[in-house]
Short mmCIF file of all heavy atoms in Angstrom, two decimals:
data_model
loop_
_atom_site.label_atom_id
_atom_site.label_comp_id
_atom_site.label_asym_id
_atom_site.label_seq_id
_atom_site.Cartn_x
_atom_site.Cartn_y
_atom_site.Cartn_z
N ALA A 737 78.23 123.00 83.96
CA ALA A 737 79.16 121.90 84.18
C ALA A 737 80.34 122.39 85.00
O ALA A 737 80.92 123.44 84.71
CB ALA A 737 79.63 121.33 82.85
N PRO A 738 80.70 121.64 86.02
CA PRO A 738 81.84 122.09 86.85
C PRO A 738 83.15 122.00 86.09
O PRO A 738 83.34 121.10 85.28
CB PRO A 738 81.81 121.11 88.03
CG PRO A 738 81.12 119.91 87.55
CD PRO A 738 80.15 120.39 86.50
N LYS A 739 84.02 122.93 86.37
CA LYS A 739 85.36 122.89 85.81
C LYS A 739 86.09 121.72 86.41
O LYS A 739 86.03 121.51 87.61
CB LYS A 739 86.09 124.20 86.13
CG LYS A 739 87.54 124.20 85.71
CD LYS A 739 88.25 125.47 86.11
CE LYS A 739 89.71 125.38 85.73
NZ LYS A 739 90.45 126.56 86.13
N THR A 740 86.81 120.97 85.57
CA THR A 740 87.63 119.88 86.08
C THR A 740 89.06 120.38 86.23
O THR A 740 89.70 120.75 85.26
CB THR A 740 87.58 118.68 85.14
OG1 THR A 740 86.24 118.20 85.07
CG2 THR A 740 88.48 117.55 85.66
N TYR A 741 89.53 120.38 87.47
CA TYR A 741 90.92 120.76 87.74
C TYR A 741 91.81 119.56 87.48
O TYR A 741 91.49 118.43 87.84
CB TYR A 741 91.07 121.21 89.19
CG TYR A 741 90.43 122.54 89.50
CD1 TYR A 741 89.09 122.64 89.75
CD2 TYR A 741 91.17 123.71 89.47
CE1 TYR A 741 88.48 123.87 90.03
CE2 TYR A 741 90.59 124.94 89.73
CZ TYR A 741 89.24 125.01 90.01
OH TYR A 741 88.65 126.22 90.26
N THR A 742 92.97 119.81 86.86
CA THR A 742 93.92 118.73 86.58
C THR A 742 95.26 118.98 87.26
O THR A 742 96.23 118.28 87.02
CB THR A 742 94.13 118.55 85.06
OG1 THR A 742 94.58 119.80 84.52
CG2 THR A 742 92.87 118.11 84.38
N SER A 743 95.29 119.98 88.11
CA SER A 743 96.49 120.33 88.85
C SER A 743 96.11 120.57 90.31
O SER A 743 95.23 121.38 90.59
CB SER A 743 97.12 121.58 88.26
OG SER A 743 97.97 122.24 89.18
N LEU A 744 96.79 119.87 91.21
CA LEU A 744 96.52 120.07 92.63
C LEU A 744 96.88 121.49 93.04
O LEU A 744 96.15 122.13 93.79
CB LEU A 744 97.29 119.05 93.45
CG LEU A 744 96.99 118.98 94.94
CD1 LEU A 744 95.53 118.71 95.19
CD2 LEU A 744 97.87 117.93 95.60
N GLU A 745 97.97 122.00 92.49
CA GLU A 745 98.39 123.36 92.81
C GLU A 745 97.33 124.38 92.41
O GLU A 745 96.99 125.28 93.19
CB GLU A 745 99.71 123.67 92.08
CG GLU A 745 100.25 125.04 92.38
CD GLU A 745 101.58 125.31 91.64
OE1 GLU A 745 102.35 124.36 91.44
OE2 GLU A 745 101.78 126.46 91.24
N GLU A 746 96.76 124.22 91.23
CA GLU A 746 95.72 125.14 90.75
C GLU A 746 94.46 124.98 91.60
O GLU A 746 93.83 125.98 91.98
CB GLU A 746 95.40 124.85 89.29
CG GLU A 746 94.48 125.83 88.64
CD GLU A 746 95.09 127.22 88.48
OE1 GLU A 746 96.32 127.36 88.38
OE2 GLU A 746 94.30 128.19 88.45
N ALA A 747 94.07 123.77 91.92
CA ALA A 747 92.88 123.51 92.71
C ALA A 747 93.00 124.11 94.12
O ALA A 747 92.01 124.59 94.68
CB ALA A 747 92.60 122.01 92.80
N MET A 748 94.18 124.12 94.67
CA MET A 748 94.38 124.60 96.04
C MET A 748 94.33 126.12 96.15
O MET A 748 94.27 126.65 97.24
CB MET A 748 95.68 124.07 96.62
CG MET A 748 95.65 122.58 96.93
SD MET A 748 94.22 122.10 97.92
CE MET A 748 94.52 123.02 99.43
N LYS A 749 94.28 126.80 95.02
CA LYS A 749 94.13 128.25 95.08
C LYS A 749 92.75 128.64 95.62
O LYS A 749 92.59 129.65 96.26
CB LYS A 749 94.35 128.87 93.69
CG LYS A 749 95.80 128.79 93.25
CD LYS A 749 95.99 129.39 91.89
CE LYS A 749 97.44 129.26 91.45
NZ LYS A 749 97.64 129.76 90.07
N HIS A 750 91.75 127.79 95.32
CA HIS A 750 90.38 128.00 95.78
C HIS A 750 89.74 126.63 96.05
O HIS A 750 88.83 126.22 95.32
CB HIS A 750 89.56 128.77 94.75
CG HIS A 750 90.11 130.11 94.40
ND1 HIS A 750 89.97 131.18 95.25
CD2 HIS A 750 90.81 130.54 93.34
CE1 HIS A 750 90.58 132.23 94.71
NE2 HIS A 750 91.09 131.86 93.54
N PRO A 751 90.18 125.92 97.08
CA PRO A 751 89.69 124.56 97.33
C PRO A 751 88.17 124.47 97.52
O PRO A 751 87.58 123.47 97.18
CB PRO A 751 90.46 124.10 98.57
CG PRO A 751 90.95 125.33 99.20
CD PRO A 751 91.14 126.35 98.13
N GLU A 752 87.57 125.53 98.01
CA GLU A 752 86.13 125.51 98.24
C GLU A 752 85.32 125.54 96.95
O GLU A 752 84.15 125.20 96.92
CB GLU A 752 85.72 126.69 99.14
CG GLU A 752 85.78 128.07 98.50
CD GLU A 752 87.19 128.66 98.33
OE1 GLU A 752 88.19 128.11 98.84
OE2 GLU A 752 87.29 129.70 97.65
N LYS A 753 85.96 125.90 95.82
CA LYS A 753 85.28 125.95 94.53
C LYS A 753 85.44 124.66 93.71
O LYS A 753 84.76 124.51 92.70
CB LYS A 753 85.82 127.12 93.72
CG LYS A 753 85.45 128.48 94.28
CD LYS A 753 85.94 129.59 93.39
CE LYS A 753 85.53 130.94 93.96
NZ LYS A 753 85.96 132.05 93.13
N VAL A 754 86.32 123.78 94.14
CA VAL A 754 86.61 122.59 93.35
C VAL A 754 85.48 121.56 93.49
O VAL A 754 85.16 121.11 94.57
CB VAL A 754 87.96 121.95 93.80
CG1 VAL A 754 88.24 120.68 92.99
CG2 VAL A 754 89.09 122.96 93.65
N GLU A 755 84.90 121.21 92.34
CA GLU A 755 83.85 120.19 92.28
C GLU A 755 84.32 118.95 91.55
O GLU A 755 83.79 117.87 91.76
CB GLU A 755 82.62 120.77 91.60
CG GLU A 755 81.94 121.88 92.38
CD GLU A 755 80.72 122.43 91.69
OE1 GLU A 755 80.15 121.76 90.79
OE2 GLU A 755 80.31 123.56 92.02
N SER A 756 85.32 119.11 90.69
CA SER A 756 85.83 117.99 89.90
C SER A 756 87.35 118.09 89.84
O SER A 756 87.90 119.11 89.45
CB SER A 756 85.23 118.03 88.50
OG SER A 756 85.68 116.95 87.74
N LEU A 757 88.04 116.97 90.19
CA LEU A 757 89.49 116.94 90.24
C LEU A 757 89.98 115.67 89.57
O LEU A 757 89.54 114.56 89.92
CB LEU A 757 90.00 117.02 91.67
CG LEU A 757 91.51 116.95 91.88
CD1 LEU A 757 92.19 118.16 91.28
CD2 LEU A 757 91.85 116.82 93.38
N THR A 758 90.90 115.81 88.63
CA THR A 758 91.51 114.67 87.97
C THR A 758 93.03 114.73 88.20
O THR A 758 93.68 115.68 87.78
CB THR A 758 91.23 114.68 86.45
OG1 THR A 758 89.82 114.49 86.26
CG2 THR A 758 91.99 113.58 85.75
N LEU A 759 93.51 113.71 88.89
CA LEU A 759 94.97 113.56 89.10
C LEU A 759 95.39 112.19 88.59
O LEU A 759 96.15 111.47 89.23
CB LEU A 759 95.31 113.73 90.58
CG LEU A 759 95.04 115.11 91.19
CD1 LEU A 759 95.36 115.13 92.66
CD2 LEU A 759 95.80 116.20 90.46
N ALA A 760 94.91 111.83 87.42
CA ALA A 760 95.28 110.55 86.80
C ALA A 760 96.70 110.64 86.25
O ALA A 760 97.14 111.70 85.86
CB ALA A 760 94.28 110.22 85.68
N TRP A 761 97.37 109.49 86.23
CA TRP A 761 98.72 109.36 85.64
C TRP A 761 99.73 110.28 86.31
O TRP A 761 100.65 110.79 85.68
CB TRP A 761 98.68 109.66 84.15
CG TRP A 761 97.87 108.72 83.34
CD1 TRP A 761 96.59 108.92 82.91
CD2 TRP A 761 98.24 107.41 82.89
NE1 TRP A 761 96.13 107.83 82.23
CE2 TRP A 761 97.15 106.87 82.18
CE3 TRP A 761 99.41 106.65 83.02
CZ2 TRP A 761 97.18 105.64 81.61
CZ3 TRP A 761 99.43 105.40 82.43
CH2 TRP A 761 98.32 104.89 81.74
N GLU A 762 99.60 110.52 87.61
CA GLU A 762 100.52 111.40 88.34
C GLU A 762 101.57 110.64 89.15
O GLU A 762 102.33 111.25 89.88
CB GLU A 762 99.72 112.33 89.28
CG GLU A 762 98.82 113.31 88.57
CD GLU A 762 99.59 114.39 87.86
OE1 GLU A 762 100.69 114.77 88.30
OE2 GLU A 762 99.07 114.88 86.83
N ARG A 763 101.57 109.32 89.06
CA ARG A 763 102.50 108.47 89.80
C ARG A 763 102.38 108.68 91.32
O ARG A 763 103.36 108.58 92.07
CB ARG A 763 103.93 108.71 89.36
CG ARG A 763 104.15 108.35 87.94
CD ARG A 763 105.64 108.47 87.57
NE ARG A 763 105.81 108.13 86.17
CZ ARG A 763 106.54 108.81 85.34
NH1 ARG A 763 107.17 109.90 85.74
NH2 ARG A 763 106.66 108.44 84.09
N LEU A 764 101.17 108.95 91.77
CA LEU A 764 100.94 109.16 93.20
C LEU A 764 101.08 107.84 93.96
O LEU A 764 100.50 106.83 93.60
CB LEU A 764 99.53 109.71 93.45
CG LEU A 764 99.21 111.08 92.84
CD1 LEU A 764 97.73 111.39 93.05
CD2 LEU A 764 100.07 112.16 93.44
N ARG A 765 101.85 107.87 95.04
CA ARG A 765 102.00 106.69 95.91
C ARG A 765 101.18 106.87 97.18
O ARG A 765 100.82 105.90 97.83
CB ARG A 765 103.46 106.47 96.26
CG ARG A 765 104.29 106.03 95.09
CD ARG A 765 105.75 105.78 95.51
NE ARG A 765 106.57 105.45 94.40
CZ ARG A 765 106.82 104.22 93.99
NH1 ARG A 765 106.28 103.20 94.62
NH2 ARG A 765 107.59 104.00 92.95
N THR A 766 100.92 108.13 97.53
CA THR A 766 100.09 108.43 98.69
C THR A 766 99.02 109.45 98.29
O THR A 766 99.20 110.24 97.37
CB THR A 766 100.93 109.03 99.85
OG1 THR A 766 101.56 110.23 99.42
CG2 THR A 766 101.95 108.06 100.36
N PHE A 767 97.93 109.40 98.98
CA PHE A 767 96.80 110.28 98.75
C PHE A 767 97.17 111.70 99.17
O PHE A 767 97.59 111.92 100.31
CB PHE A 767 95.59 109.79 99.55
CG PHE A 767 94.36 110.61 99.38
CD1 PHE A 767 93.48 110.37 98.33
CD2 PHE A 767 94.06 111.64 100.28
CE1 PHE A 767 92.33 111.15 98.19
CE2 PHE A 767 92.90 112.39 100.15
CZ PHE A 767 92.05 112.13 99.09
N PRO A 768 97.03 112.68 98.29
CA PRO A 768 97.33 114.07 98.67
C PRO A 768 96.29 114.58 99.69
O PRO A 768 95.13 114.74 99.38
CB PRO A 768 97.22 114.86 97.36
CG PRO A 768 97.28 113.83 96.27
CD PRO A 768 96.71 112.58 96.87
N LYS A 769 96.74 114.83 100.89
CA LYS A 769 95.82 115.24 101.98
C LYS A 769 95.15 116.59 101.68
O LYS A 769 94.08 116.88 102.21
CB LYS A 769 96.58 115.37 103.32
CG LYS A 769 97.13 114.06 103.81
CD LYS A 769 96.12 113.33 104.60
CE LYS A 769 96.77 112.11 105.28
NZ LYS A 769 95.93 111.53 106.27
N GLU A 770 95.72 117.37 100.77
CA GLU A 770 95.10 118.65 100.38
C GLU A 770 93.70 118.46 99.83
O GLU A 770 92.85 119.32 99.97
CB GLU A 770 95.98 119.38 99.36
CG GLU A 770 97.33 119.79 99.83
CD GLU A 770 98.41 118.73 99.62
OE1 GLU A 770 98.08 117.54 99.43
OE2 GLU A 770 99.59 119.08 99.69
N ILE A 771 93.47 117.32 99.22
CA ILE A 771 92.15 117.04 98.64
C ILE A 771 91.05 117.10 99.72
O ILE A 771 89.93 117.50 99.45
CB ILE A 771 92.16 115.67 97.94
CG1 ILE A 771 93.08 115.71 96.71
CG2 ILE A 771 90.75 115.23 97.55
CD1 ILE A 771 93.31 114.36 96.05
N LEU A 772 91.39 116.79 100.93
CA LEU A 772 90.43 116.79 102.03
C LEU A 772 89.89 118.19 102.34
O LEU A 772 88.86 118.33 103.01
CB LEU A 772 91.02 116.17 103.28
CG LEU A 772 91.45 114.71 103.15
CD1 LEU A 772 92.17 114.24 104.37
CD2 LEU A 772 90.25 113.83 102.81
N GLN A 773 90.52 119.22 101.82
CA GLN A 773 90.06 120.61 102.02
C GLN A 773 88.99 120.99 100.99
O GLN A 773 88.37 122.04 101.10
CB GLN A 773 91.23 121.57 101.90
CG GLN A 773 92.27 121.39 102.96
CD GLN A 773 93.47 122.31 102.74
OE1 GLN A 773 93.29 123.46 102.37
NE2 GLN A 773 94.67 121.79 102.95
N MET A 774 88.76 120.14 100.00
CA MET A 774 87.83 120.45 98.90
C MET A 774 86.43 119.93 99.27
O MET A 774 85.97 118.91 98.78
CB MET A 774 88.34 119.82 97.61
CG MET A 774 89.71 120.33 97.24
SD MET A 774 90.39 119.46 95.80
CE MET A 774 92.07 120.04 95.89
N LYS A 775 85.76 120.67 100.12
CA LYS A 775 84.48 120.23 100.71
C LYS A 775 83.35 120.17 99.69
O LYS A 775 82.32 119.54 99.97
CB LYS A 775 84.10 121.13 101.87
CG LYS A 775 85.09 121.09 103.02
CD LYS A 775 85.28 119.69 103.57
CE LYS A 775 86.28 119.66 104.69
NZ LYS A 775 86.62 118.32 105.10
N ASN A 776 83.50 120.76 98.51
CA ASN A 776 82.44 120.69 97.48
C ASN A 776 82.80 119.71 96.37
O ASN A 776 82.11 119.70 95.33
CB ASN A 776 82.20 122.10 96.92
CG ASN A 776 81.52 122.98 97.95
OD1 ASN A 776 80.50 122.62 98.55
ND2 ASN A 776 82.11 124.14 98.22
N LEU A 777 83.79 118.92 96.59
CA LEU A 777 84.25 117.96 95.57
C LEU A 777 83.18 116.91 95.32
O LEU A 777 82.64 116.30 96.25
CB LEU A 777 85.55 117.29 96.03
CG LEU A 777 86.28 116.43 95.03
CD1 LEU A 777 86.74 117.27 93.83
CD2 LEU A 777 87.48 115.76 95.68
N GLN A 778 82.84 116.76 94.05
CA GLN A 778 81.82 115.78 93.63
C GLN A 778 82.43 114.63 92.84
O GLN A 778 81.94 113.51 92.90
CB GLN A 778 80.75 116.47 92.80
CG GLN A 778 79.97 117.51 93.56
CD GLN A 778 79.07 118.32 92.65
OE1 GLN A 778 78.79 117.94 91.49
NE2 GLN A 778 78.61 119.44 93.13
N ARG A 779 83.47 114.94 92.07
CA ARG A 779 84.08 113.92 91.21
C ARG A 779 85.58 113.91 91.43
O ARG A 779 86.23 114.96 91.34
CB ARG A 779 83.78 114.21 89.75
CG ARG A 779 82.30 114.11 89.46
CD ARG A 779 81.96 114.43 88.06
NE ARG A 779 80.52 114.32 87.91
CZ ARG A 779 79.92 114.12 86.78
NH1 ARG A 779 80.61 114.06 85.66
NH2 ARG A 779 78.61 114.01 86.75
N LEU A 780 86.11 112.72 91.71
CA LEU A 780 87.52 112.57 91.96
C LEU A 780 88.08 111.45 91.10
O LEU A 780 87.61 110.30 91.20
CB LEU A 780 87.76 112.27 93.46
CG LEU A 780 89.21 112.03 93.89
CD1 LEU A 780 90.07 113.25 93.61
CD2 LEU A 780 89.25 111.69 95.38
#
């Protein structure tokens, strides 16, 4: 099972390894463009 990252900062240490990212309840008004570097992302 892929590790689910819950911190953008932590995920960006190795964006190529991120398969699952949860940024729920973060009060985001704009999409974090850093997510676009996570080419193996399966779940957002």
